Amino acid sequence: MDIKKNISLQSFNTFGMNVNAQEFVSIDSLKGLIDVLNTNPSHLFILGGGSNMLLTKDIDALVLHINLKGISVISTSNERVKVQVSAGESWHEFVSWCLSKDFGGLENLSLIPGNVGTAPIQNIGAYGVELKDRFVSCEAINIQTKELKIFSKDECEFGYRNSIFKHALKGEYIITSVVFELSTENHSIKINYGAIESELQKNGINNPSIQEVSKAVISIRNTKLPDPKILGNSGSFFKNPMISYSKFEVLKSQFPLIPHYKVSEVDVKVPAGWLIETTGFKGKTFGNYGVHNKQALVLVNYGGASGENILNLSIQIQKAVKLIFDIDLESEVNIL
Ligand code: EPU
């Protein structure tokens, strides 16, 4: 067990925040993980791909970097395949692997940063597909008892950017692997969300393969979302808020162009990106940090900004949205 002291986490979080971990250990086997847990560290901090967190201070804990690797097909039947993926695999590399095997279902989730093991925690989603649509189960280890448990889809209680691992079981389990069910033939292509269809048409594609859908998603994401390897960011900083239909009607009378998605007979979701753009924050820079100029939901570190800078900016944005629309924006990233 190679526990290092005072390690910078800059390369382990996509915002590129230069904070230190008091102690750091990377594990690449289940046995290694259990060995670390058996030392009963007083403070433990679980690190996956670091793509959904804003680090505002040094971490006075043992940072446990989950680096478990491996992808295997566990069963095939009736045009379906079940694939088990270890938690430390990169999400996008896993999606690319699926596409290379012509396994369908995750192509709309191409290019999402982060690792497979943390993806279920917030039920990642994009372009009309959520992780839960292809999720079968995950294996997780209980940090206290060190027992492995299989969580079925129902037990995960998935919601919009949400799961039981964010609430009732927060901090209790470490996900070690995830099983997905994918199609091997007759893929169900989903291109009716956002700009996918027009992107395909632009390239003269009418009957797209899953690989072509992935290419279209990558191309759209590249025009709107900054690559964290180049510009520090954590994707959508806020969730799209849900409001009542009656409140929406009032807002619509003031802001006739307000976009919305119907959630139920009584609730609608409005895009946080639009709300933020309307407050005037889109594209604003404050020295070395700011709001992305192509997608107002994304806050960026141009280099050398602190977590406090980004946190303060997010609070300013929340206040502006509250003042103009009387809507509370909830952050999607974990602030630490
Ligand atoms: N919009 C604006 N201004 C902006 C951004 C968006 O007016 O600066 C408007 C758009 O014109 C559109 C609507 O808002 O009418 C929705 O925009 P978009 O399709 O870009 O999606 P989003 O709701 O802003 C969500 C996810 C993204 C995901 C996209 C595509 C959340 C919080 N975000 O963004 O997820 O990629 O849909 O499916 O649900 C992430 O979670 O990190 C992420 C990037």
Side-chain angles (χ1 to χ4, degrees):
M1 194 183 325
D2 182 18
I3 298 184
K4 298 188 171 75
K5 302 241 185 242
N6 283 323
I7 290 289
S8 168
L9 295 177
Q10 192 163 27
S11 61
F12 291 97
N13 72 100
T14 59
F15 253 125
M17 291 308 166
N18 192 13
V19 303
N20 277 353
Q22 191 180 57
E23 294 187 309
F24 178 95
V25 63
S26 185
I27 59 97
D28 58 11
S29 70
L30 209 50
K31 181 183 175 309
L33 175 57
I34 293 169
D35 285 348
V36 171
L37 295 180
N38 276 335
T39 66
N40 292 320
S42 52
H43 292 96
L44 198 57
F45 180 98
I46 312 302
L47 178 67
S51 62
N52 202 39
M53 55 173 64
L54 176 66
L55 300 174
T56 61
K57 52 181 187 288
D58 289 343
I59 307 292
D60 294 328
L62 171 62
V63 172
L64 184 50
H65 179 228
I66 306 298
N67 201 24
L68 301 165
K69 300 282 188 190
I71 306 179
S72 50
V73 170
I74 52 173
S75 69
T76 23
S77 68
N78 274 343
E79 303 182 353
R80 289 274 184 275
V81 61
K82 282 193 183 144
V83 180
Q84 181 164 29
V85 202
S86 296
E89 290 287 345
S90 133
W91 177 264
H92 180 64
E93 281 172 27
F94 167 55
V95 173
S96 305
W97 178 90
C98 294
L99 294 168
S100 75
K101 303 276 181 207
D102 204 33
F103 294 165
L106 299 175
E107 51 283 355
N108 293 44
L109 303 180
S110 295
L111 213 62
I112 295 185
N115 285 355
V116 169
T118 39
I121 300 175
Q122 60 148 350
N123 180 28
I124 58 168
Y127 303 102
V129 174
E130 288 183 329
L131 167 136
K132 74 170 171 52
D133 301 335
R134 292 291 171 172
F135 178 97
V136 176
S137 62
C138 66
E139 182 195 75
I141 188 162
N142 183 303
I143 293 174
Q144 293 306 323
T145 66
K146 288 99 186 169
E147 274 164 354
L148 284 169
K149 172 172 163 58
I150 305 288
F151 285 87
S152 69
K153 184 166 157 173
D154 281 351
E155 285 173 315
C156 291
E157 296 178 10
F158 289 121
Y160 167 60
R161 297 295 194 273
N162 221 340
S163 76
I164 193 160
F165 302 108
K166 270 188 149 181
H167 297 283
L169 297 183
K170 189 174 172 150
E172 287 190 32
Y173 281 88
I174 299 170
I175 295 175
T176 52
S177 67
V178 186
V179 176
F180 295 95
E181 186 172 74
L182 306 165
S183 54
T184 54
E185 279 169 67
N186 295 316
H187 304 301
S188 99
I189 302 282
K190 289 204 170 152
I191 54 170
N192 51 1
Y193 181 97
I196 302 188
E197 206 157 15
S198 53
E199 179 68 27
L200 288 163
Q201 272 165 10
K202 204 169 77 188
N203 296 314
I205 300 166
N206 292 317
N207 211 347
S209 63
I210 53 175
Q211 291 78 8
E212 285 166 334
V213 172
S214 168
K215 263 196 199 153
V217 167
I218 289 173
S219 154
I220 299 164
R221 285 188 74 97
N222 280 336
T223 60
K224 288 189 176 184
L225 300 166
D227 179 351
K229 289 196 189 90
I230 298 167
L231 201 54
N233 78 91
S234 200
S236 301
F237 196 91
F238 302 101
K239 290 185 192 179
N240 285 334
M242 195 148 76
I243 59 173
S244 68
Y245 204 83
S246 50
K247 181 164 185 165
F248 172 72
E249 286 294 322
V250 176
L251 284 175
K252 196 167 162 58
S253 64
Q254 284 173 274
F255 304 95
L257 295 179
I258 186 170
H260 69 290
Y261 320 101
K262 190 174 166 184
V263 178
S264 69
E265 288 312 312
V266 285
D267 292 315
V268 294
K269 228 188 244 181
V270 289
W274 184 88
L275 298 172
I276 298 168
E277 179 166 350
T278 307
T279 65
F281 266 104
K282 187 172 181 174
K284 280 254 166 76
T285 56
F286 305 86
N288 50 7
Y289 61 98
V291 180
H292 192 49
N293 59 356
K294 302 206 178 73
Q295 165 56 286
L297 256 184
V298 180
L299 307 189
V300 286
N301 171 12
Y302 292 107
S306 68
E308 283 290 321
N309 291 150
I310 301 282
L311 178 59
N312 288 336
L313 172 58
S314 76
I315 293 168
Q316 295 309 313
I317 292 172
Q318 282 169 322
K319 282 186 182 157
V321 168
K322 178 77 178 168
L323 192 70
I324 298 180
F325 302 102
D326 191 31
I327 290 178
D328 293 304
L329 280 191
E330 200 186 317
S331 64
E332 196 206 296
V333 303
N334 297 307
I335 297 166
L336 299 147

